[in-house]
Amino acid sequence: MTAISYRSIRKLIRSELPRIAQLAEQLTQRSLNQQPEYFLSLKVAEAIYGHFKGCVFSTEMSLQDICKDVGLNIEEAPTECRIKGLRRADLVVKSAKTGRCRNVIEFKRGVKEGDLLADARRLAWLCQNAEIGHRMEKNFLVTVTTSSKNVLDARSEVIENMLKDEFPVVCLKPEYVDLSEFKSTKSKSQGKDLHAMVWEFNCSRFLDR
């Protein structure tokens, strides 16, 4: 468990990413951006489990099963939200007591605008359509990259503009993580500083509670 008692998953992930980046290098001699997204998913799950009581997890859980658990009609999801079919979520936080889904966390390595927007739409749709008071009103997207903070801030602006147009009750909380003490080991970005961003998608109905 971390020394600070965080109440926010977003802030906990931000605080744990440097430790996870260091662990990646120690275990594999490769930088965090060269690990499969599954590595980051598992390490984030371990961090949440160690900090928050009453959480268990599912990896690669189908969106169809998530929607069924939350009480969402998957047929109402727009195609661009990538909910239907054999789509899966990277990490699902669940209640240890009930086994019910609480939050979805997606992971990326890079800042391709189309890829980030695709996941952002999925997470925002889940936020906006969850029953009022359900924990699924809050979901997260994490990326690790060699792109600079300025680029990540620009992606935040693009996502925020999309939310205003398509999901007006969903707010974005970006949390930049400076990982510049860690260098990329990928051949195309060898030696470049690492950076990360944790985006929280939060239904505005949830903010006053």
Side-chain angles (χ1 to χ4, degrees):
M1 180 178 290
T2 56
I4 300 174
S5 180
Y6 292 103
R7 297 181 61 187
S8 162
I9 288 178
R10 182 187 80 253
K11 291 184 180 298
L12 176 66
I13 296 174
R14 178 202 63 190
S15 72
E16 286 292 303
L17 279 176
R19 183 189 64 80
I20 294 172
Q22 183 178 38
L23 185 62
E25 291 187 353
Q26 290 174 346
L27 292 177
T28 70
Q29 296 185 328
R30 292 184 176 183
S31 57
L32 186 57
N33 66 318
Q34 199 172 0
Q35 307 298 327
E37 292 169 2
Y38 192 62
F39 177 91
L40 185 53
S41 176
L42 287 179
K43 294 307 173 186
V44 166
E46 290 174 359
I48 295 173
Y49 179 81
H51 191 81
F52 294 105
K53 303 300 182 182
C55 292
V56 292
F57 303 87
S58 288
T59 57
E60 298 296 325
M61 185 175 180
S62 76
L63 269 295
Q64 182 173 337
D65 288 344
I66 294 170
C67 288
K68 183 178 180 180
D69 182 85
V70 178
L72 302 177
N73 184 354
I74 198 169
E75 296 305 320
E76 294 179 356
T79 302
E80 57 270 22
C81 293
R82 302 195 310 165
I83 301 288
K84 302 175 186 178
L86 301 177
R87 305 288 187 179
R88 296 181 179 275
D90 291 335
L91 182 65
V92 181
V93 183
K94 304 170 79 173
S95 166
K97 183 176 181 180
T98 66
R100 304 296 298 273
C101 299
R102 296 171 61 162
N103 312 99
V104 171
I105 309 176
E106 299 283 9
F107 298 91
K108 283 283 178 283
R109 295 175 301 168
V111 291
K112 289 184 179 180
E113 187 174 302
D115 291 345
L116 293 177
L117 282 174
D119 277 358
R121 286 189 173 93
R122 169 187 289 177
L123 297 172
W125 187 86
L126 292 170
C127 288
Q128 185 165 284
N129 289 278
E131 182 181 351
I132 294 176
H134 197 290
R135 289 183 181 270
M136 192 61 68
E137 285 187 313
K138 187 183 292 186
N139 299 297
F140 307 88
L141 174 59
V142 181
T143 190
V144 177
T145 179
T146 55
S147 295
S148 68
K149 181 180 185 297
N150 288 340
V151 173
L152 288 167
D153 287 342
R155 294 296 182 270
S156 294
E157 185 175 353
V158 169
I159 294 172
E160 285 180 333
N161 289 335
M162 181 276 293
L163 293 177
K164 289 176 183 178
D165 292 338
E166 302 178 28
F167 302 95
V169 301
V170 178
C171 300
L172 186 70
K173 291 185 177 182
E175 195 86 48
Y176 170 71
V177 187
D178 183 2
L179 297 177
S180 57
E181 64 182 292
F182 303 100
K183 311 302 178 185
S184 175
T185 58
K186 295 179 69 173
S187 58
K188 292 184 178 180
S189 57
Q190 184 82 30
K192 289 186 176 181
D193 295 348
L194 297 188
H195 305 269
M197 187 74 87
V198 183
W199 287 286
E200 177 184 303
F201 297 79
N202 195 327
C203 186
S204 59
R205 298 182 303 234
F206 189 78
L207 296 178
D208 295 332
R209 290 200 295 276

